[in-house]
Amino acid sequence: MSGMASDHNNSSQEEYIPHYLQKEDPFASKLSREADIIAGFYLTIIGILSTLGNGYVIFMSSKRKKKLRPAEIMTVNLAVCDLGISVVGKPFSIISFFSHRWMFGWIGCRWYGWAGFFFGCGSLITMTAVSLDRYLKICHLSYGTWLKRHHAFICLAMIWAYATFWATVPFAGVGNYAPEPFGTSCTLDWWLAQASVTGQVFVLSILFFCLLFPTAVIVFSYVKIILKVKSSTKEVAHYDTRIQNSHILEMKLTKVAMLICAGFLLAWIPYAVVSVWSAFGRPDSVPIQFSVVPTLLAKSAAMYNPIIYQVIDCKFACCRPGGLKAKSSLKKSR
């Protein structure tokens, strides 16, 4: 009986045909023309705001690039990732939504999927590094006395190598990039999990190393920070004015980092849930009209960060050139 069951499972996997192979034209839009136009205008607005906001952050940082401190370098890298998503990815999807079909064929589809995953993964891993920096800075004060600029650049090299590896893995024959069910965008081929054990391993690996593990590190870091702040607030009140001002600045930086991570995860988690359901749920069980909403929400993540910088009035150097004098005082006092 067990042999018959396994044969049945194998045959069901072999018989499964993903949505993009069920019809002759996988790039034809499955939405109404009106819905595509609305999505196109939405992405146009998101793309313009994201490009202007992140471009401004990078421009202001470049004016004092030799004075950027490690935490600021990480923040600039996050802006670079967000700008990359907007400049490299948004035009493809905007043109396709307005054209009521994907206009760039399979090569463009795989390029678009690779670029979106590459910059998205780079953003999340950068935020993971920032959360660890905040955790060590707040909970282990001695950390700030040895971290130098070259450590930050080593970290950047590791982030880009990590993102490049996982974005390129699908081209090694264990995965792929494919059209979304609604036809006018492309993503990782989550539907491979329906077809083979190899596909399931690929999808689970992507989920763990590019979402669950980084998210766990971020949550751990900020929970420890919150607990530390609650226990040390009274102690800081007894320090001199320089230490108190520096503590206030550190907390502003931490609030910015927390909000950035929260905004990113809130934008991407619905998309991740739909993707997991598509991979391991019943084939084609996610309605096409429903699948487009998390996709559009995820594409808006790159717009949030410059807004957060301004709302918190943070003294990052990329926003305010003289903003980290208090951190210098704290370093000397240590």
Side-chain angles (χ1 to χ4, degrees):
M1 294 293 291
S2 60
M4 293 177 61
S6 62
D7 291 341
H8 175 74
N9 292 334
N10 291 334
S11 63
S12 63
Q13 287 184 337
E14 292 174 358
E15 292 172 0
Y16 173 71
I17 301 176
H19 64 86
Y20 53 86
L21 295 179
Q22 293 176 2
K23 297 182 179 180
E24 293 183 0
D25 187 359
F27 300 122
S29 177
K30 311 306 186 296
L31 303 174
S32 66
R33 185 171 294 275
E34 292 76 13
D36 275 336
I37 292 175
I38 293 173
F41 276 116
Y42 171 81
L43 289 181
T44 300
I45 295 172
I46 294 296
I48 292 173
L49 293 177
S50 175
T51 301
L52 293 177
N54 289 292
Y56 173 77
V57 171
I58 295 171
F59 172 74
M60 294 302 293
S61 300
S62 67
K63 296 175 66 174
R64 58 184 305 276
K65 56 185 177 182
K66 294 183 179 180
K67 297 181 180 180
L68 292 176
R69 300 166 78 91
E72 301 170 285
I73 293 172
M74 291 291 106
T75 305
V76 174
N77 190 62
L78 183 59
V80 171
C81 291
D82 291 341
L83 184 63
I85 292 175
S86 301
V87 173
V88 176
K90 291 290 193 302
F92 285 83
S93 54
I94 291 172
I95 292 172
S96 296
F97 273 115
F98 282 127
S99 301
H100 198 49
R101 63 173 288 107
W102 179 258
M103 298 294 295
F104 306 98
W106 276 104
I107 294 177
C109 181
R110 293 188 175 101
W111 159 251
Y112 176 86
W114 181 90
F117 185 43
F118 172 72
F119 287 114
C121 182
S123 294
L124 182 57
I125 302 305
T126 300
M127 285 185 283
T128 305
V130 170
S131 69
L132 284 174
D133 173 82
R134 295 291 86 208
Y135 163 69
L136 294 172
K137 189 75 100 176
I138 300 296
C139 301
H140 302 278
L141 296 180
S142 60
Y143 166 77
T145 64
W146 63 263
L147 184 68
K148 307 298 182 183
R149 281 169 58 95
H150 68 272
H151 293 121
F153 287 116
I154 292 173
C155 186
L156 287 185
M158 295 173 62
I159 290 171
W160 288 112
Y162 193 92
T164 300
F165 173 79
W166 285 109
T168 309
V169 160
F171 295 130
V174 297
N176 199 2
Y177 293 99
E180 298 269 15
F182 49 87
T184 47
S185 181
C186 294
T187 185
L188 280 168
D189 192 347
W190 302 103
W191 303 272
L192 286 174
Q194 299 278 357
S196 67
V197 175
T198 302
Q200 293 174 0
V201 172
F202 163 72
V203 170
L204 289 174
S205 299
I206 291 291
L207 287 172
F208 179 79
F209 289 104
C210 300
L211 180 63
L212 297 179
F213 178 69
T215 301
V217 173
I218 290 171
V219 172
F220 166 82
S221 299
Y222 290 123
V223 168
K224 296 293 287 186
I225 288 171
I226 292 171
L227 295 176
K228 180 67 175 179
V229 169
K230 286 185 177 180
S231 65
S232 63
T233 301
K234 293 182 179 180
E235 297 177 11
V236 174
H238 298 293
Y239 295 157
D240 61 33
T241 304
R242 290 184 309 168
I243 302 297
Q244 292 181 24
N245 291 339
S246 299
H247 178 76
I248 292 173
L249 177 58
E250 293 291 353
M251 293 316 301
K252 280 188 175 182
L253 298 175
T254 303
K255 287 178 181 178
V256 168
M258 291 177 68
L259 285 175
I260 288 172
C261 293
F264 184 91
L265 293 176
L266 287 175
W268 278 97
I269 283 179
Y271 179 78
V273 171
V274 171
S275 299
V276 171
W277 185 262
S278 299
F280 297 102
R282 291 186 300 105
D284 305 322
S285 59
V286 179
I288 292 177
Q289 292 76 8
F290 179 77
S291 67
V292 70
V293 176
T295 302
L296 294 178
L297 180 62
K299 293 179 185 296
S300 68
M303 180 190 67
Y304 300 153
N305 298 343
I307 297 175
I308 292 173
Y309 300 150
Q310 299 301 322
V311 170
I312 297 298
D313 194 26
C314 171
K315 295 183 179 179
F316 275 137
C318 59
C319 299
R320 306 213 175 150
L324 284 171
K325 293 179 180 178
K327 288 185 73 174
S328 178
S329 300
L330 177 59
K331 183 176 180 180
K332 292 179 181 178
S333 68
R334 287 172 183 164

